[in-house]
Amino acid sequence: MRVHLINPSEVSFGTAVITPRWLYVLAAATPRIFGDACLIDETLVAADPDQIQAGDVVGIGIHTANALRGYEIGKVARRRGAYVVFGGIHATLYPNEAHELGGAHAVVKGDGDVVWAAVLSDCGHNKPQKIYEGGRIEASAFLPARWDLVPRKRYMWASVQTVRGCPKHCSFCSVWRTDGQQPRQRSSDVVIEEIVQLRRLGFRFIALADDNFYPVTLTDLRLAEEQHNNLRLNELKAIRAERFALMTRLAQLPPDMIFFTQITMEAAEDTDFLDAMQAANIKGALVGVESVTPEGLKDVYKEFNSAGESLVERLRTFRQHGVYVLGCFIFGLPSDRPETFDATALAAAQAEVAFAQFVMLTPYPGTVDFMRWEKTMEASPIEIAGIPITRRWLIPRALRPKLYWPHPTMSAEEIRRYTQHVWDTFYGLKPIWVRSRFIKSLRARLAFVLISKIYRQMYADTGIVTDSARVSRSSLWARWLAKPCQRLFAAPPMPHLKVPPVVHRSPFNVVLHD
């Protein structure tokens, strides 16, 4: 019995930006008795069905965007006599769908780190259960990935997770509903050991693939203090102290290493935290801006963010402390108007964000937005190719609409066209080159230009363009650019790199500003 783990994708680029961490974690969770798992990342190359034999186990991890492709693979694998097991956020939300449409013998809901061994054992005894409850395991049970199995020179960035869960409750995000609002934080020791292993292999760019790298804000600390909730205050301080301990350890790693993570904009208020990030070589952060207007932030339950001039200043704060922002903006909110698009593009430029993504409002399963949208569609259901639009991920990609939520003043095509224009403007060659001025070496500036172009081709044209020829050209350009870009990100392996010693005292203190 051979174990296959497959990351589905409808488009293969030969080279990918970031390693799909779950593949390598489940490879680590696969007991040695089954041998090394066969790992297939379809963003690199499509799966070969001939490699799957009767009696094998095929694990397929899906999110909403790649669920349909995952179901195609599952049905093929089942026809070949393999046991088919689905996991991932989408399978957790829709386990019956994976059984009905994906040929699943079993579905793992929640975390797979611990339960995966039981799944394989049951398949080996020809008695897989329909549902396995992986739940939300404690951080101490998170498994380090099997990075010894990663193919060389195929990924630009590696990925390491330091915390699961997010205390926020944004309406468009499912993380807090699936991974929970209680941060489950790994110790700095195991994180550093995993990062050192990656640097030994030649990875110097690492994504800290967390739901929210900044799980405790200064506001959280103040509220607990004002409420005289000492138990909560001490808990928050412990989480925060571990964050600083991790960053102190990161600062001891080779200086050529660069980290990227995801945080909320509230971190701009916490300059001690930003300074620690800078010292730790965390050079970039994905920040969910969502909207540049107060009305838009109210639409998405994110009123803790700033808008207007205050937004620009807060985003600039990151840059002033050496952290460069990938800003995420949503278009198509009920309060948006045609002038919102230009205002957003201007704010992104004024705030000097290094990268930006501009997405059209799309309700994702497991979110508050999706439940609201699904409810509104009950009165007047719409089908495309015989599939309810509320199951849009099952609609053939070429037939899927670009916008799902009716807007009070603009048509879907207007919103799509305005959004495309903002992408085209922000990622023009001249603006990219201007944004790269903060980089010192020509080699690094060239890498910045290439990754900007790849990012734009992968996430703009393949997502919102209606012209199929343009989509094909973008995929081809991304494939051509990815290989030389990967070389720019690569570094010579450091096989003898030691794990840095533990620092018992962090130079950063918890400060509650007035």
Side-chain angles (χ1 to χ4, degrees):
M1 183 180 87
R2 191 174 187 191
V3 178
H4 306 259
L5 297 172
I6 302 177
N7 182 45
S9 176
E10 293 181 341
V11 182
S12 300
F13 295 101
T15 302
V17 178
I18 300 177
T19 52
R21 180 176 173 77
W22 77 266
L23 279 180
Y24 300 93
V25 169
L26 282 198
T30 301
R32 293 290 183 179
I33 190 174
F34 298 106
D36 288 341
C38 176
L39 308 183
I40 302 101
D41 179 5
E42 287 203 311
T43 64
L44 301 178
V45 62
D48 180 4
D50 291 339
Q51 298 299 312
I52 300 171
Q53 304 299 321
D56 287 354
V57 177
V58 177
I60 305 169
I62 56 173
H63 48 79
T64 299
N66 69 358
L68 187 59
R69 172 59 182 162
Y71 295 155
E72 292 173 359
I73 296 169
K75 287 183 289 187
V76 170
R78 182 147 187 165
R79 285 197 297 268
R80 295 187 64 84
Y83 293 102
V84 177
V85 184
F86 277 88
I89 188 170
H90 191 85
T92 296
L93 294 168
Y94 294 99
N96 293 336
E97 188 178 274
H99 281 290
E100 295 167 7
L101 303 179
H105 291 87
V107 172
V108 175
K109 297 174 64 177
D111 296 333
D113 309 48
V114 175
V115 76
W116 180 240
V119 175
L120 294 178
S121 177
D122 288 349
C123 289
H125 291 90
N126 194 27
K127 54 177 184 180
Q129 302 174 31
K130 288 195 68 174
I131 301 292
Y132 290 84
E133 296 287 350
R136 298 173 186 165
I137 61 175
E138 294 297 322
S140 59
F142 294 177
L143 291 178
R146 281 285 306 276
W147 293 122
D148 57 300
L149 299 178
V150 71
R152 304 300 188 265
K153 300 180 180 179
R154 302 299 291 272
Y155 296 100
M156 301 174 203
W157 291 65
S159 53
V160 173
Q161 189 174 49
T162 76
V163 63
R164 290 181 197 170
C166 178
K168 302 304 177 186
H169 58 275
C170 304
S171 69
F172 55 84
C173 182
S174 63
V175 162
W176 60 279
R177 298 176 65 87
T178 55
D179 282 352
Q181 290 184 280
Q182 178 62 37
R184 291 173 286 151
Q185 186 167 261
R186 299 172 79 193
S187 75
S188 59
D189 289 342
V190 293
V191 172
I192 292 297
E193 287 173 4
E194 196 170 339
I195 290 172
V196 166
Q197 182 189 8
L198 285 164
R199 186 62 190 88
R200 289 170 181 159
L201 295 173
F203 286 100
R204 71 183 188 94
F205 288 84
I206 310 288
L208 303 176
D210 300 329
D211 297 325
N212 182 359
F213 188 77
Y214 184 61
V216 176
T217 70
L218 294 181
T219 299
D220 295 332
L221 292 166
R222 280 196 211 97
L223 286 174
E225 194 173 57
E226 291 169 1
Q227 294 165 1
H228 304 291
N229 188 341
N230 291 330
L231 183 64
R232 176 62 173 163
L233 182 61
N234 289 334
E235 177 188 21
L236 293 173
K237 285 184 175 181
I239 294 172
R240 179 179 170 89
E242 184 61 36
R243 292 282 86 182
F244 280 104
L246 171 61
M247 290 187 282
T248 300
R249 300 286 299 282
L250 292 175
Q252 296 175 277
L253 293 169
D256 69 341
M257 297 198 72
I258 293 176
F259 301 93
F260 179 89
T261 192
Q262 176 172 288
I263 55 180
T264 60
M265 198 189 300
E266 294 159 297
E269 301 173 352
D270 194 342
T271 55
D272 288 339
F273 198 89
L274 294 183
D275 287 339
M277 288 177 67
Q278 183 180 28
N281 276 330
I282 302 176
K283 299 290 189 183
L286 184 152
V287 177
V289 181
E290 321 319 346
S291 176
V292 301
T293 68
E295 296 79 13
L297 293 173
K298 187 175 182 180
D299 288 338
V300 296
Y301 300 3
K302 205 162 185 178
E303 294 166 273
F304 56 82
N305 265 9
S306 297
E309 287 299 318
S310 176
L311 163 67
V312 169
E313 288 305 313
R314 290 185 85 178
L315 289 174
R316 281 178 175 167
T317 301
F318 286 97
R319 192 182 185 97
Q320 290 161 3
H321 289 265
V323 179
Y324 298 92
V325 169
L326 162 56
C328 299
F329 302 86
I330 298 175
F331 289 137
L333 299 172
S335 59
D336 283 352
R337 297 297 180 265
E339 56 270 22
T340 303
F341 297 86
D342 287 339
T344 301
L346 179 62
Q350 290 178 335
E352 300 179 310
V353 298
F355 293 91
Q357 63 179 24
F358 310 97
V359 300
M360 293 186 292
L361 179 62
T362 302
Y364 278 91
T367 67
V368 172
D369 282 349
F370 185 88
M371 291 187 289
R372 285 163 46 195
W373 175 64
E374 194 173 33
K375 190 71 175 175
T376 62
M377 296 305 295
E378 289 178 357
S380 53
I382 298 173
E383 290 189 355
I384 297 176
I387 299 168
I389 198 170
T390 52
R391 294 298 177 268
R392 58 183 175 77
W393 54 89
L394 301 178
I395 300 171
R397 182 171 291 275
L399 301 177
R400 292 178 197 171
K402 300 299 180 183
L403 194 71
Y404 298 89
W405 203 302
H407 194 273
T409 62
M410 290 183 286
S411 70
E413 176 56 23
E414 283 180 299
I415 295 171
R416 189 206 65 78
R417 192 172 65 249
Y418 287 136
T419 302
Q420 185 72 58
H421 177 70
V422 175
W423 273 101
D424 291 344
T425 300
F426 189 85
Y427 284 99
L429 189 57
K430 183 177 179 180
I432 293 173
W433 187 250
V434 170
R435 286 197 296 276
S436 72
R437 288 178 301 184
F438 69 93
I439 301 173
K440 295 178 181 178
S441 75
L442 181 60
R443 175 187 171 93
R445 288 189 77 177
L446 180 57
F448 181 89
V449 172
L450 284 176
I451 198 66
S452 295
K453 283 297 186 182
I454 289 174
Y455 191 85
R456 185 243 183 280
Q457 302 293 351
M458 286 182 172
Y459 294 101
D461 280 354
T462 57
I464 62 177
V465 170
T466 54
D467 180 356
S468 60
R470 184 169 178 175
V471 173
S472 297
R473 287 196 303 271
S474 290
S475 297
L476 187 59
W477 269 105
R479 180 181 288 272
W480 284 345
L481 291 170
K483 195 68 175 179
C485 195
Q486 190 278 331
R487 294 192 188 103
L488 288 170
F489 280 92
M494 299 180 70
H496 304 297
L497 179 65
K498 303 290 186 184
V499 174
V502 176
V503 177
H504 294 288
R505 291 190 63 187
S506 169
F508 305 102
N509 300 313
V510 175
V511 179
L512 301 183
H513 297 290
D514 294 332

